[in-house]
């Protein structure tokens, strides 16, 4: 089973591995996009997506300090998020996974965080047993999970 | 629209956004844009205000893809 990733090679500044995802909490659903970042050890729910899902930071336990773009942010753990992807053969794939949410402490930080997308990190690949295939030359990338026997 | 249909449409919208980012930059540089059916249905420099605008139009803002149009010459490195 494969989850396709867009590579957008025709736009030099947008050669991210990305695609859309539906994020669901017990209360809300959100249509958004993610970037697959093998340089990130943690999966991060963007501040904008957290706001749109109306996640309250007050009830969340603190995790590590997260450094993004030269700034440090307090991370919080949110356990009740489900990622819904569309597989290459048109099936719905749901993966429940705990994420780190980062919180700004000023207006300036909030502006900066609004531009940071939701990031799927290597923890997701490892825990959920996905293999990343990436051939930028031929514009093909996907996440693959072997069907459980 | 069920979840699969929404994901299919949304992925097409994302691809359209990425393929047309240069053209979109002319009108929406440094703005958040709301994309539906391969067109920009609203935009604003402030994401919260954009969400408010969508709700006023009767859109369920959580079902609309929102993307930031980066300024020319700027890339986001995470």
């Amino acid at each position: 089973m494969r989850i396709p990733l867009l590579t957008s090679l025709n736009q030099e500044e947008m050669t991210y591995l990305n695609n859309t995802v539906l994020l669901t909490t017990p209360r809300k659903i959100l249509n958004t996009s993610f970037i697959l970042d093998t340089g990130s050890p943690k999966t991060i729910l963007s501040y904008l997506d957290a706001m749109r899902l109306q996640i309250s930071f007050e009830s969340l336990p603190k995790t590590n300090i997260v450094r993004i773009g030269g700034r440090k942010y307090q991370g919080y753990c949110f356990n009740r998020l489900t990622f819904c992807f569309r597989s290459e053969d048109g099936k719905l794939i749901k993966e429940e996974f705990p994420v780190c949410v980062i919180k700004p402490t000023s207006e300036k930080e909030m502006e900066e965080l609004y531009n940071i997308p939701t990031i799927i990190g290597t923890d997701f690949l490892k825990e959920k047993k996905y293999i990343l295939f990436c051939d930028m030359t031929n514009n093909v990338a996907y996440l693959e999970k072997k069907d459980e026997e | 629209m069920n979840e699969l249909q929404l994901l299919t449409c949304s992925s097409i919208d994302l691809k359209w956004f990425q393929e047309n980012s240069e053209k979109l930059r002319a009108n929406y540089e440094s703005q958040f844009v709301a994309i539906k059916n391969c067109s920009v249905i609203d935009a604003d420099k402030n994401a919260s205000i954009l969400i408010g605008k969508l709700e006023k139009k009767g859109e369920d803002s959580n079902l609309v893809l929102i993307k930031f149009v980066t300024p020319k010459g700027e890339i986001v490195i995470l």
Side-chain angles (χ1 to χ4, degrees):
Chain A
M1 169 267 287
R2 291 178 181 173
I3 299 169
L5 298 169
L6 305 180
T7 54
S8 304
L9 283 175
N10 54 334
Q11 297 290 325
E12 201 175 296
E13 78 274 31
M14 285 200 176
T15 51
Y16 304 110
L17 299 179
N18 62 5
N19 210 334
T20 49
V21 63
L22 297 183
L23 301 177
T24 63
T25 67
R27 290 181 184 176
K28 292 273 177 186
I29 182 167
L30 176 67
N31 174 19
T32 189
S33 60
F34 67 91
I35 284 180
L36 182 82
D37 182 4
T38 56
S40 175
K42 291 291 290 181
T43 294
I44 307 234
L45 177 66
S46 79
Y47 182 64
L48 178 57
D49 288 346
M51 292 298 95
R52 295 176 76 192
L53 287 166
Q54 297 182 358
I55 292 172
S56 165
F57 285 88
E58 283 159 23
S59 59
L60 303 181
K62 286 182 180 177
T63 62
N64 298 338
I65 299 290
V66 179
R67 188 186 286 272
I68 295 180
R71 280 185 193 270
K72 290 179 184 174
Y73 301 94
Q74 178 62 57
Y76 295 82
C77 184
F78 185 70
N79 288 318
R80 292 175 297 165
L81 192 71
T82 301
F83 291 75
C84 305
F85 305 97
R86 185 185 184 278
S87 72
E88 221 169 53
D89 56 355
K91 290 181 182 151
L92 193 65
I93 300 163
K94 295 190 177 188
E95 301 282 12
E96 196 175 330
F97 197 71
V99 293
C100 177
V101 196
I102 44 181
K103 184 183 176 186
T105 54
S106 66
E107 283 286 319
K108 174 86 178 155
E109 283 186 4
M110 189 187 296
E111 278 178 32
E112 288 178 9
L113 280 187
Y114 267 151
N115 301 338
I116 305 291
T118 286
I119 295 165
I120 291 185
T122 51
D123 57 343
F124 183 91
L125 303 187
K126 188 170 183 179
E127 293 292 321
K128 295 296 180 182
K129 299 179 178 161
Y130 278 99
I131 297 163
L132 168 63
F133 178 85
C134 179
D135 177 357
M136 296 301 273
T137 309
N138 292 305
N139 201 15
V140 178
Y142 53 83
L143 294 176
E144 184 169 42
K145 188 189 267 193
K146 300 289 180 199
D147 292 330
E148 290 173 48
E149 292 171 11
Chain B
M1 191 181 283
N2 66 28
E3 290 171 318
L4 264 177
Q5 288 168 327
L6 185 56
L7 273 169
T8 304
C9 294
S10 181
S11 187
I12 292 168
D13 284 340
L14 178 63
K15 200 170 180 188
W16 174 84
F17 169 76
Q18 292 179 166
E19 287 173 352
N20 291 278
S21 60
E22 197 58 52
K23 288 179 200 162
L24 291 171
R25 196 172 279 133
N27 292 322
Y28 304 110
E29 186 170 291
S30 301
Q31 293 189 53
F32 291 91
V33 291
I35 304 156
K36 190 175 175 184
N37 299 330
C38 296
S39 65
V40 173
I41 58 170
D42 218 325
D44 201 283
K45 289 200 168 188
N46 183 307
S48 302
I49 291 173
L50 174 59
I51 289 164
K53 284 180 178 178
L54 292 171
E55 297 289 342
K56 270 189 183 175
K57 282 184 172 178
E59 295 282 352
D60 182 341
S61 65
N62 270 25
L63 300 185
V64 177
L65 188 66
I66 293 180
K67 296 295 292 177
F68 182 70
V69 181
T70 53
K72 191 170 177 60
E74 191 175 306
I75 56 169
V76 178
I77 294 177
L78 303 168

